[in-house]
Amino acid sequence: VKAQGKNSFQFYTKEINNRAVELLVLENDMHKAIKDQDFILYYQPQISLKDLSIVGVESLIRWHHPKKGMIPPADFIPLAEESGMIIEIGEWVLMESCRQAKEWLDKGYHFGRIAVNLSAKQFHRSNITQQVKAALESHQLPPEHLELEITESIAIENIDVTIETLKELKSLGIHLSIDDFGTGYSSLSYLKRFSIDKLKIDKSFVDDILIDDGGAAIATSTIALAHQMGLKVIAEGVETSDQCAFLQSHQCDEAQGYHISRPLNSSDTQTFFDQYNKQ
Ligand code: C2E
Ligand code: CA
Ligand code: CA
Ligand code: CA
């Protein structure tokens, strides 16, 4: 028993050391990635379900690792959060999104807004309002073309600070949305104190709208809730025309998902704009 206990302890510390080393290596890789421009943004179109026009694109980061190939955000954003690197990465995403949006505007594309994901640390541990202001100014992007997506879990971390920060951000003239709505633990009573414009129905509920009554009920109540509060609502992860038709018939304002388009690189996004408008 004693030997076993000792072994499992050794195993445990080894695991921790491995994890610490892994984190350090990755953190070092991420520093290098920013310098070497190995991060890239993909853009996923969002459309209006009223007139089918393009209303926005969501910026989604990808890491083109020199040895490991393309790494999806799920494999490094949590680590970047843990190590604090997310502040630097998030700042880059914001800058690059504003630069790209301005370029598209100058080329005459009417894509609406570019939506940028904010992480918890970025929202709470850095002067996010200053960062956003600087990004808009340095690329001369009119604020109405920028949207920030924050999750419910970010929002409830420190309610009073969140309310203040959202107010400040809103006063810049940008749009704000609550991402993955319904998956967190947010109390609905706070929602009305947040200066937000839109709720994003999480993919997990969209997946269920044609499968069970519960899924449909969550989606339709979110739409009703949003509208009663004067907010817009967008559904994410829309994969089929049936889901799209359901959402449309239940007055959901906007949709995003593989049914409309997968996330695309910059040049494919431009091609999407060109072809979509010709249809
Ligand atoms: P999210 O914000 O919920 O982004 C939506 C994710 O769903 C994206 O995955 C997108 O590619 C995927 N998706 C969109 N439509 C469909 C669909 O119809 N079917 C399916 N199966 N998937 C769909 P992605 O790009 O891998 O991003 C995953 C998560 O990583 C994002 O979830 C977001 O939380 C985070 N993330 C991505 N980019 C950034 C970033 O720049 N900053 C921060 N802080 N987080 C980011
Ligand atoms: Ca998002
Ligand atoms: Ca989402
Ligand atoms: Ca989601």
Side-chain angles (χ1 to χ4, degrees):
V1 174
K2 213 176 177 183
Q4 229 176 31
K6 197 180 167 216
N7 278 344
S8 67
F9 177 70
Q10 276 175 347
F11 177 70
Y12 184 62
T13 49
K14 193 164 165 250
E15 282 285 284
I16 289 187
N17 282 335
N18 281 346
R19 173 138 181 77
V21 169
E22 195 194 338
L23 259 176
L24 271 175
V25 169
L26 212 93
E27 195 180 330
N28 192 46
D29 278 7
M30 286 191 275
H31 270 297
K32 201 167 144 24
I34 290 187
K35 219 170 59 219
D36 296 353
Q37 299 181 299
D38 290 339
F39 287 120
I40 38 171
L41 293 182
Y42 271 52
Y43 306 92
Q44 189 174 34
Q46 305 173 328
I47 59 159
S48 157
L49 289 174
K50 303 271 140 61
D51 62 9
L52 303 184
S53 62
I54 299 171
V55 292
V57 294
E58 178 178 4
S59 289
L60 294 159
I61 195 170
R62 303 287 179 262
W63 183 358
H64 199 353
H65 195 285
K67 290 197 202 87
K68 295 177 189 158
M70 203 67 98
I71 309 180
D75 293 353
F76 66 91
I77 292 286
L79 288 163
E81 273 267 333
E82 214 176 312
S83 72
M85 273 299 294
I86 194 68
I87 304 274
E88 220 176 306
I89 295 173
E91 199 162 359
W92 176 81
V93 173
L94 201 53
M95 277 289 178
E96 177 59 13
S97 297
C98 290
R99 187 205 62 74
Q100 179 66 82
K102 175 66 171 156
E103 184 190 308
W104 281 332
L105 282 180
D106 288 347
K107 286 181 173 170
Y109 292 106
H110 301 280
F111 61 90
R113 279 181 279 275
I114 195 155
V116 173
N117 290 286
L118 286 194
S119 82
K121 263 200 188 150
Q122 211 184 345
F123 188 81
H124 289 297
R125 316 266 161 88
S126 65
N127 191 346
I128 188 65
T129 310
Q130 275 312 113
Q131 243 185 69
V132 171
K133 205 165 168 245
L136 290 169
E137 277 168 7
S138 61
H139 297 287
Q140 299 190 313
L141 180 70
E144 62 268 25
H145 293 290
L146 179 66
E147 179 169 308
L148 299 179
E149 297 190 0
I150 67 157
T151 60
E152 284 172 280
S153 43
I154 295 182
I156 57 154
E157 234 175 69
N158 187 337
I159 297 281
D160 292 329
V161 175
T162 298
I163 290 169
E164 269 319 298
T165 307
L166 290 175
K167 243 189 242 164
E168 272 178 37
L169 286 169
K170 192 65 213 155
S171 73
L172 297 177
I174 64 172
H175 269 242
L176 298 170
S177 64
I178 302 284
D179 202 0
D180 302 338
F181 186 75
T183 62
Y185 302 94
S186 76
S187 152
L188 290 179
S189 64
Y190 291 121
L191 210 53
K192 65 176 197 297
R193 298 175 60 197
F194 292 157
S195 319
I196 51 168
D197 305 282
K198 189 155 66 176
L199 301 182
K200 257 192 128 164
I201 304 177
D202 189 63
K203 176 178 184 299
S204 59
F205 304 121
V206 174
D207 286 345
D208 288 347
I209 53 178
L210 297 167
I211 302 219
D212 57 57
D213 293 345
I218 293 176
T220 53
S221 346
T222 303
I223 296 167
L225 173 74
H227 287 165
Q228 274 163 30
M229 297 183 64
L231 306 175
K232 294 251 183 216
V233 58
I234 181 168
E236 71 171 18
V238 178
E239 292 185 344
T240 69
S241 54
D242 286 348
Q243 290 170 342
C244 212
F246 177 95
L247 291 160
Q248 202 166 24
S249 71
H250 287 85
Q251 276 71 54
C252 184
D253 301 288
E254 300 168 2
Q256 172 182 354
Y258 292 176
H259 176 60
I260 295 126
S261 170
R262 293 195 170 242
L264 305 167
N265 67 28
S266 169
S267 97
D268 289 347
T269 305
Q270 223 169 278
T271 307
F272 179 89
F273 292 158
D274 284 330
Q275 291 176 347
Y276 193 87
N277 288 330
K278 274 189 211 127
Q279 269 171 18

